[in-house]
Amino acid sequence: MPTKARATATAGPAQAREDIISAQALSTLSAGAVSAMSAVGAAVLKRHKHAMAKKPEWFWHIFAKCEAKAARIAEQAARAPQACGDAAFIESYARSLPKLMAAALKAHEKALGD
């Protein structure tokens, strides 16, 4: 993560924003779930290197928003009555983050093309 973007993401007021996963939210997850989130995030970053190289600050902003939204979706899935907690969280997160990121990049390309 670029230094400027990292400083922005860890600033005090930024922690209250909905598009960033808070440290408190991360601390409630198991180590396995956090590890799985890291692996999925790394795969998404690797897949979209070209977009990250074009506009790094925009990319990290969109990635943070998609990551937070995927975590919220996964949390809801993990709380479902028939869910298996961390397993449901990881499965839902791994399914939703790549889709959210691809949709955001496609919408951005479409906006630039029009």
Side-chain angles (χ1 to χ4, degrees):
M1 186 178 216
T3 307
K4 185 175 181 182
R6 183 179 298 132
T8 303
T10 59
Q15 291 298 327
R17 292 180 8 199
E18 264 189 47
D19 63 342
I20 296 177
I21 300 173
S22 69
Q24 181 182 8
L26 280 176
S27 69
T28 62
L29 298 173
S30 72
V34 173
S35 177
M37 288 174 67
S38 297
V40 172
V44 169
L45 293 175
K46 187 175 181 181
R47 181 178 175 141
H48 298 292
K49 283 184 192 177
H50 63 283
M52 186 172 27
K54 288 181 185 177
K55 292 185 175 184
E57 289 194 24
W58 174 86
F59 182 86
W60 285 111
H61 171 73
I62 294 301
F63 181 77
K65 290 182 84 160
C66 290
E67 191 175 44
K69 186 170 185 176
R72 286 193 302 273
I73 292 168
E75 183 180 352
Q76 290 174 353
R79 291 184 179 175
Q82 300 298 323
C84 296
D86 281 353
F89 180 91
I90 293 166
E91 181 182 355
S92 180
Y93 184 83
R95 190 178 331 114
S96 60
L97 180 61
K99 288 180 184 178
L100 290 169
M101 197 65 199
L105 291 172
K106 187 175 180 180
H108 180 68
E109 288 175 9
K110 184 178 178 185
L112 291 177
D114 290 341

